[in-house]
Amino acid sequence: MTSMLRKSGSKSGSKSLDHEPSSPAEEQVKVNELRAALGPLTGHAEIYATDTCLKRYLRARNWNVKKSEKMLRDTLHWRSVYKPEEIQWADVAKEHETGKMYRANFLDKQGQTLLVMHPNRQNTSEMDGHIKHLVYCLENAILNLPIGQEQMIWLVDFRGWGMKYTIPIKTAREATNILQNHYPERLHVAILFSPPRAFETFWMIVKPFLDPKTFRKVKFVYPKNSESMKHLDGLLLKDKLKDILDNPTDYNHEQYAKLMEQDDMKSTAYWKIGEGQFQNGDLPDPGSMIKLEDSTEVKNQHPKPVLYGETPVLESRLE
């Protein structure tokens, strides 16, 4: 079947496995070829591997089906062992207490989810906790992507950071590996805001772990450098940025916990309804509208605001 699909790709104008499709039809040929190479999938692997998901892996490997297959198989194995979809708020609540990483209460100008990080609020030291916390935040950000959006923004506020807050290189390497290899094409841009000179040493150690695509998405932004600030101006409104950088109550743990507990329900519903009800490629991504067994719906189109701190946060609703 794979050979037949390759012939089909050739007829549609595809010249090699690395040829970037020039039309939706050619993209679908690549997706079909990758799905045929993967073979039958079951359980959560089947739910995860939507057509949109396959396209992300193909883009990450320049539409090379063989390389994309290996990358996706590695992810499916990792997910089967690590089970990121089963991580709940209660598992990471301690890591969240200081608000060192959280989903912002607004979207960027393009409607993408924003993850905010304050490295100077580091409150734990165990690698397992750090990684589980990161994975939970990534899964939650994806769960809350608006329909039609696949990528998120990272805003890392380095003000007040010092070497005492540096995470171990082993942890940084594992975090980078997970982001690049198991969440491909999910990062739109990472803004490193006002990193101190001391961070340069840490950056030079971490830099070799980054693949070229990820490296190009990392932007250093300094408040006194108007040219670098353009990266932020193109993403966030000034009042929204001020809420993050100048508001000491930008994070309220108790209110945020309530939101995450609701999102845990939404996540559980998403993974449950896919079991045995959809064929490969049919299940929409988590941010899309999906039907529950009792015919209720999960929506994320016009979020209802709830409060954490003193500003509204987007609530994922079960209606």
Side-chain angles (χ1 to χ4, degrees):
M1 183 173 181
T2 302
S3 61
M4 291 175 63
L5 286 168
R6 283 176 177 160
K7 290 180 181 179
S8 174
S10 175
K11 290 180 180 179
S12 65
S14 179
K15 296 179 181 179
S16 72
L17 286 175
D18 290 335
H19 168 68
E20 183 172 349
S22 59
S23 68
E26 284 192 10
E27 283 190 1
Q28 193 58 47
V29 168
K30 292 284 190 177
V31 170
N32 292 344
E33 186 175 348
L34 176 54
R35 191 170 294 289
L38 289 171
L41 299 174
T42 60
H44 286 183
E46 180 182 12
I47 299 172
Y48 178 78
T50 64
D51 279 5
T52 303
C53 171
L54 267 58
K55 287 180 184 179
R56 284 193 294 272
Y57 281 81
L58 284 163
R59 288 197 300 269
R61 290 296 179 261
N62 298 314
W63 297 91
N64 183 303
V65 175
K66 186 174 182 180
K67 292 180 179 179
S68 301
E69 178 193 355
K70 182 184 184 306
M71 186 183 194
L72 182 48
R73 285 191 184 280
D74 288 345
T75 292
L76 293 177
H77 173 71
W78 173 76
R79 293 186 72 91
S80 71
V81 174
Y82 199 79
K83 302 184 185 305
E85 71 277 5
E86 294 183 9
I87 302 175
Q88 298 280 291
W89 171 252
D91 302 321
V92 298
K94 180 180 178 181
E95 296 284 342
H96 247 96
E97 285 179 349
T98 58
K100 63 185 178 186
M101 184 176 185
Y102 62 88
R103 176 166 57 84
N105 56 356
F106 55 87
L107 305 176
D108 82 329
K109 290 181 179 180
Q110 285 73 47
Q112 299 169 118
T113 298
L114 174 67
L115 281 180
V116 178
M117 303 176 202
H118 295 285
N120 67 322
R121 297 179 184 179
Q122 185 58 258
N123 63 328
T124 62
S125 59
E126 293 184 2
M127 175 177 171
D128 290 347
H130 287 168
I131 297 301
K132 182 174 289 188
H133 181 229
L134 170 66
V135 171
Y136 179 84
C137 289
L138 291 173
E139 292 283 316
N140 182 264
I142 292 169
L143 186 74
N144 285 280
L145 283 169
I147 294 173
Q149 293 287 359
E150 297 183 63
Q151 296 184 319
M152 67 190 79
I153 309 293
W154 283 19
L155 174 57
V156 189
D157 177 15
F158 275 99
R159 294 174 308 165
W161 182 87
M163 291 300 290
K164 66 180 180 179
Y165 299 114
T166 303
I167 62 174
I169 296 301
K170 183 178 180 181
T171 302
R173 186 170 186 173
E174 179 64 12
T176 301
N177 171 65
I178 287 174
L179 176 65
Q180 294 181 155
N181 297 323
H182 302 315
Y183 294 91
E185 297 297 304
R186 286 300 195 182
L187 178 65
H188 176 65
V189 64
I191 300 293
L192 307 187
F193 185 78
S194 196
R197 186 175 297 275
F199 178 74
E200 294 178 7
T201 301
F202 181 75
W203 173 249
M204 293 304 295
I205 296 174
V206 173
K207 184 178 175 181
F209 304 153
L210 301 175
D211 65 37
K213 280 192 173 184
T214 303
F215 177 76
R216 288 193 292 270
K217 294 179 179 180
V218 178
K219 308 297 182 184
F220 283 70
V221 174
Y222 301 90
K224 294 183 179 180
N225 184 315
S226 58
E227 190 64 28
S228 69
M229 282 296 291
K230 290 180 180 179
H231 293 299
L232 264 179
D233 295 339
L235 295 172
L236 304 174
L237 297 174
K238 289 184 178 180
D239 61 329
K240 299 299 184 184
L241 183 61
K242 186 178 179 65
D243 280 344
I244 293 174
L245 300 179
D246 299 332
N247 182 3
T249 60
D250 64 316
Y251 176 80
N252 181 288
H253 188 64
E254 289 72 23
Q255 292 296 330
Y256 195 77
K258 294 177 181 178
L259 178 68
M260 293 300 102
E261 288 165 358
Q262 292 174 1
D263 279 1
D264 284 353
M265 293 172 59
K266 178 182 176 182
S267 177
T268 299
Y270 175 79
W271 292 102
K272 181 179 179 181
I273 69 161
E275 296 176 355
Q277 296 189 36
F278 294 88
Q279 295 181 350
N280 281 332
D282 288 345
L283 185 66
D285 273 357
S288 302
M289 184 187 300
I290 55 178
K291 293 184 178 181
L292 305 180
E293 292 176 346
D294 61 358
S295 297
T296 59
E297 295 173 336
V298 175
K299 297 182 180 179
N300 194 35
Q301 294 189 64
H302 301 289
K304 174 184 177 182
V306 295
L307 297 179
Y308 71 89
E310 298 179 355
T311 52
V313 62
L314 298 180
E315 177 190 11
S316 301
R317 294 180 292 164
L318 286 174
E319 293 186 344

